[in-house]
Structures are given as structure tokens and as C-alpha cells.
Amino acid sequence: MTKIITINSEKDFYMLKEAAQAVRDGKLVAFPTETVYGLGADGLNESAVRNIYRAKGRPSDNPLILHIQSPEEITPLVNEINETARKLMNRFWPGPMTLVFKKSKIVPDVISGGLDTVAIRYPENRIACELIRLSKTPIAAPSANTSGKPSPTKAKHVYHDLNGKIDYIVNGGDCDIGLESTVIDVTGKIPIILRPGKISLEDIRELFADAYYDKHLTEITSKPVSKPRSPGMKYKHYAPSGELYILDGSYEKIQEYLDENADDDTAFLTFNEYPINRKNVWNMGCIHSPIEGSKVLFDILRECDEKNMKKIYSVMPEKNGVGFALFNRMFKAAGGKIVNLW
Ligand code: TXA
Ligand code: MG
């Protein structure tokens, strides 16, 4: 049985003691962060961490993020904190940023999927931080979804995927950002973005003009990546059951394409600027404000599944700033299927 603990305000924080004790006892506790819900366990307890992989059905070579709630907690987990890491930590922590360091000996191999590095994040969400503080251990947490499915941005998504497979769900309401954290390799002098997120390349370039996206992120290809730096990037991800296609073209061309290809069980994901007058339309807000689409994308993909949509056509988002993260998740959910209508 999965027990649900609902936290409406700081007055309810005392209820987190029970969840923290469960973490200390090696159990699995899902909890909210500002990005997506995480599936947490004691990051220094190997068998607890193994249970995370089991509950999600996650391949064991895909490493996990350790969550901390103060910058000092990082010291025992890593070999070295270089100047690059320090600058990023000072600017963006707590927040939706995960840094990849050379790991220390105390980090179990199950966390790092056999790599010599470890990913660490200090989230901003108050419930997440309080849970980590009370647990007195770094909490290992991937997104709390079944592997391959859209990440959970609401407690009900976690319940849908993991009810009966985990011990607790801490319900803290909807996640603010809706896409996972920006993952940055800081093992060298120049930060390399391994996964785009709300903290964008443009944000990072304010500190490091030469920061760049790892190659696999900029290659627009539907071929699976064979050996990416971030192992998670090689798997099909965020995928609804229906086939998602990203439509890249003018408003007129997209309309023509839909006239020819849409059926009764086709869903449409669009932006204010591309109104679509059909049934089964989901709006992702202003196309120039991709933070709006980021917040709702995963929920929309799950709703498309609930409504048994067989095909999903999405208008191409803008690819700068946070838009690149939105595009990245859509591209993965679509298995790389972009229809070029230009
Ligand atoms: O926002 C988030 O990051 C959420 C919340 C719960 O914190 N967590 C999350 O975890 O998205 P997960 O496991 O779903 O994604 C972690 C990503 C994966 O793509 C994984 O391959 C990568 O981070 N990663 C983890 N450890 C790594 C390492 N040592 N080197 C490179 N990539 C790593
Ligand atoms: Mg995930």
C-alpha cells in the first residue's frame, strides 16, 4: 500500500517526519520539487536505491541525482569542487540545476550507474528541502514516473504510475516548472549542458561565455544516440502511447496538413498564435513564453493517453532559452519525428 501525505502549507510540515523516517528505513518516498516529482530513497543505502530502479522499471546504467538541502552537504560526495562549479552553485542554487562532479568513494556505484561521476541538485522547493533535512541523508531521486513515460508534475501522475509499488507519496500540489532540471557537467573548466532545462544556455553564458550544449542535444536526428555523456539521453523518453509528430511550418501549411491527416482520435498541441478549430486541442500558451508550455506539456501528454488519442500533432515550439528544453522533451516524446512543412 502506498500512503499519501498531503502538505498544504508549512503548518503541515510536521507530517514529513513520518516520510523522513521511511527514507531512513530504506523505503521509497515520492515528493514534489519545483521541476517534477521525484522518487526518493536514502542515497547512501544501496538496496534502497536498487528498489528505485525496480519500482520505475529503469535500466540500471542510467544514473540518479542526489538531492541535498544545503551547499555544504556536497563536500563528502564529490572529489573536488572547482571554480566553475562554485560560480554556478552561487548563482543558481537552490534551483532547477543539477551539477555533475567526479564522485567520492562514499557514493554507491548503483547511484552513478558505473560512472566515476555523480549528479547533485539542491532544489528550491520547501517541501523537498524539509524532507531531505529531516532524512539527514542525501536523497537519490529520479523523476517519479514509470521509466519511459512523461515525468510527473502532479501527485496524481505519481499515483497513476507507482501506486502499490512505493511506500509514500508526499502530495505538495502541482510543480511550478514542469520540466526536469538543467544537467551540467562541471568536471572541466567549461560547463557542458547535458540536459536543457529552465536555466538555459543563455543564462549560463552570462557567467561562462563558452558554455555549450553536449553534441547529442544539437544533432536533430531520430537515430538513437549510442554513447551520450548523459546515459539517460539514449532511451525513449516522455512518450505517450499515441504517436507524437512535431509539425514544423507556417500556420497555413500546418492547417493544410491537419485537413489531410487528422482523424477523430487525433490530438493537437498548439500555442495561442496558432489557433486550431477542432476537437481534442490542448493549448500551451504563448509561443514566445515557453515557460508556459513547459509547465503543462507532460500533463497534456498524459491526458492524451487517458483520452486514447492515437496520433498527436504538435506545433513546433521556439527553440531559444527555455524553449530549447521544451523542444528537447517534445523531440524525445516524438521519438524524433518532425514533419517538415516548409
Ligand atoms: O528535475 C530533476 O532533475 C528531477 C527532480 C526529481 O530532481 N530529477 C530527474 O531525475 O529528472 P532523472 O533520473 O529522471 O534524470 C536524471 C538525468 C538523467 O538523464 C541521467 O542520465 C542524468 O541526469 N545523470 C545522472 N547522473 C549523471 C552522471 N553522473 N553523469 C551524467 N548524467 C547523469
Ligand atoms: Mg526521468
Side-chain angles (χ1 to χ4, degrees):
M1 270 296 288
T2 302
K3 181 165 175 184
I4 297 170
I5 295 176
T6 300
I7 307 286
N8 290 312
S9 71
E10 289 188 19
K11 277 202 224 88
D12 300 331
F13 274 16
Y14 71 93
M15 287 193 267
L16 291 172
K17 282 188 191 147
E18 183 181 339
Q21 186 57 47
V23 170
R24 297 193 61 72
D25 293 341
K27 295 188 172 152
L28 300 186
V29 177
F31 63 97
T33 80
E34 68 274 27
T35 56
V36 299
Y37 273 78
L39 176 55
D42 180 348
L44 303 180
N45 175 337
E46 279 200 46
S47 72
V49 173
R50 251 185 231 109
N51 286 336
I52 294 180
Y53 286 94
R54 200 170 302 140
K56 276 182 63 91
R58 178 176 173 117
S60 61
D61 65 345
N62 190 2
L64 304 180
I65 298 171
L66 286 180
H67 295 71
I68 56 175
Q69 56 87 42
S70 86
E72 300 84 68
E73 287 173 24
I74 199 173
T75 313
L77 305 173
V78 303
N79 265 354
E80 182 207 18
I81 306 174
N82 61 21
E83 207 35 47
T84 305
R86 281 216 186 278
K87 273 192 171 167
L88 288 167
M89 288 160 65
N90 288 340
R91 176 73 159 261
F92 298 114
W93 271 0
M97 176 184 77
T98 297
L99 297 180
V100 173
F101 298 85
K102 291 278 180 206
K103 78 182 183 91
S104 77
K105 286 208 178 70
I106 72 160
V107 176
D109 282 339
V110 273
I111 292 285
S112 53
L115 300 172
D116 63 353
T117 51
V118 61
I120 300 184
R121 174 152 114 84
Y122 173 8
E124 192 170 20
N125 180 287
R126 301 264 304 122
I127 299 173
C129 287
E130 185 64 3
L131 180 67
I132 303 163
R133 191 181 71 80
L134 293 168
S135 302
K136 300 192 181 70
T137 183
I139 294 189
S143 49
N145 52 298
T146 299
S147 198
K149 287 285 151 197
S151 295
T153 56
K154 296 170 184 270
K156 73 170 184 185
H157 299 157
V158 182
Y159 185 84
H160 176 273
D161 283 15
L162 299 174
N163 180 35
K165 296 182 177 171
I166 65 176
D167 301 288
Y168 285 88
I169 298 173
V170 176
N171 177 1
D174 296 358
C175 300
D176 282 341
I177 297 172
L179 297 184
E180 306 87 339
S181 60
T182 308
V183 179
I184 310 174
D185 182 328
V186 289
T187 55
K189 271 197 169 149
I190 302 175
I192 307 169
I193 300 186
L194 306 182
R195 179 175 70 182
K198 183 184 175 213
I199 295 174
S200 65
L201 177 63
E202 291 85 340
D203 293 334
I204 295 159
R205 282 195 174 156
E206 284 177 19
L207 297 181
F208 299 92
D210 44 7
Y212 61 95
Y213 286 127
D214 191 38
K215 199 168 75 225
H216 77 272
L217 289 176
T218 46
E219 283 170 351
I220 304 294
T221 163
S222 57
K223 288 193 209 103
V225 184
S226 54
K227 207 165 186 298
R229 267 174 214 267
S230 178
M233 286 300 170
K234 74 172 177 260
Y235 300 106
K236 189 167 181 186
H237 252 94
Y238 320 118
S241 306
E243 288 289 320
L244 173 62
Y245 297 82
I246 303 173
L247 307 183
D248 192 12
S250 68
Y251 183 47
E252 289 69 31
K253 281 281 165 45
I254 289 176
Q255 295 280 16
E256 276 171 33
Y257 187 85
L258 296 184
D259 286 340
E260 280 163 30
N261 294 283
D263 301 311
D264 278 350
D265 48 12
T266 302
F268 309 93
L269 273 59
T270 192
F271 297 95
N272 296 343
E273 294 77 3
Y274 289 67
I276 294 176
N277 207 351
R278 295 170 180 269
K279 53 177 191 149
N280 304 322
V281 176
W282 276 269
N283 190 317
M284 296 183 286
C286 171
I287 197 165
H288 310 302
S289 168
I291 193 77
E292 295 174 31
S294 301
K295 182 160 177 154
V296 293
L297 175 70
F298 288 146
D299 186 39
I300 293 175
L301 294 178
R302 282 175 178 267
E303 283 189 7
C304 288
D305 272 359
E306 266 170 37
K307 300 220 156 109
N308 272 316
M309 296 287 119
K310 296 283 181 301
K311 264 190 305 192
I312 306 166
Y313 289 124
S314 176
V315 173
M316 175 69 97
E318 289 185 352
K319 295 206 256 327
N320 51 331
V322 195
F324 191 71
L326 179 61
F327 166 69
N328 168 266
R329 303 313 192 275
M330 275 189 187
F331 183 74
K332 302 229 100 194
K337 295 190 295 298
I338 297 177
V339 182
N340 187 349
L341 300 172
W342 290 112

